[in-house]
Amino acid sequence: MPILLKKAIQHLLLLLLLSSPQSFAEFSEQTVLSANTPKGISIDIFSEITPLDINRIHSWLLRLTDIQGRPVSNAQIELVGGMPEHDHGLPTQPQITAETEVGSYLLEGVRFHMPGNWQLDIKLTYKLTYEPDTAGLTTETITIEFQL
């Protein structure tokens, strides 16, 4: 194999590794937060850092499952949050950047800037894969409260 082609392949592999959403993220094996919607969708949140810490930007892995424990794929997820007692939101705007595997979503840009009572509102829009094609999208919001 010509040396130029070999170098090009090495650079391409390095680029793919670095562009992978989870290339450096190691998530806890235990959930840091979890909740259920009224329609039975479970959300389990795994953090890149445990315990959750102040003033550290990090990522979360959100795992969605239905009432039978099956992954919920192709969901649209929006997250807003803040400290209701202080009347302010999160200091960052975390975004879902990838569905890393069926039902698992990478949320990047999470940061908490002070200790106290926090609230997250997670809006889920989804269609379960076993629902008939005529079924529309379902939208639910989960509120999770916790203290740092």
Side-chain angles (χ1 to χ4, degrees):
M1 177 182 301
I3 196 158
L4 187 58
L5 180 58
K6 189 175 182 180
K7 289 249 185 230
I9 290 172
Q10 288 173 340
H11 283 99
L12 179 61
L13 290 173
L14 181 61
L15 179 64
L16 288 172
L17 176 67
L18 294 176
S19 64
S20 170
Q22 283 190 286
S23 59
F24 298 109
E26 293 284 331
F27 293 96
S28 65
E29 293 182 14
Q30 295 198 359
T31 58
V32 291
L33 299 169
S34 62
N36 295 305
T37 71
K39 294 189 178 182
I41 299 298
S42 295
I43 182 167
D44 293 312
I45 300 173
F46 303 85
S47 179
E48 190 176 29
I49 58 171
T50 54
L52 295 178
D53 202 1
I54 304 299
N55 284 322
R56 286 186 59 195
I57 292 183
H58 60 283
S59 298
W60 284 356
L61 188 68
L62 282 60
R63 190 164 296 141
L64 301 181
T65 53
D66 67 13
I67 200 161
Q68 283 86 27
R70 295 177 288 211
V72 176
S73 63
N74 299 313
Q76 297 172 358
I77 304 171
E78 298 173 33
L79 181 138
V80 295
M83 299 184 82
E85 294 170 2
H86 294 268
D87 197 28
H88 65 72
L90 289 167
T92 59
Q93 295 178 332
Q95 298 292 314
I96 296 292
T97 57
E99 184 172 3
T100 59
E101 58 184 54
V102 177
S104 293
Y105 302 85
L106 181 63
L107 179 73
E108 295 185 287
V110 179
R111 180 170 76 92
F112 303 101
H113 64 287
M114 61 187 293
N117 295 319
W118 288 88
Q119 178 177 311
L120 299 176
D121 294 316
I122 304 171
K123 180 180 172 184
L124 306 174
T125 302
Y126 61 91
K127 182 176 189 289
L128 299 175
T129 56
Y130 53 85
E131 290 181 327
D133 287 340
T134 55
L137 294 174
T138 299
T139 299
E140 297 186 88
T141 300
I142 301 172
T143 298
I144 302 175
E145 296 177 347
F146 60 99
Q147 186 168 358
L148 287 179

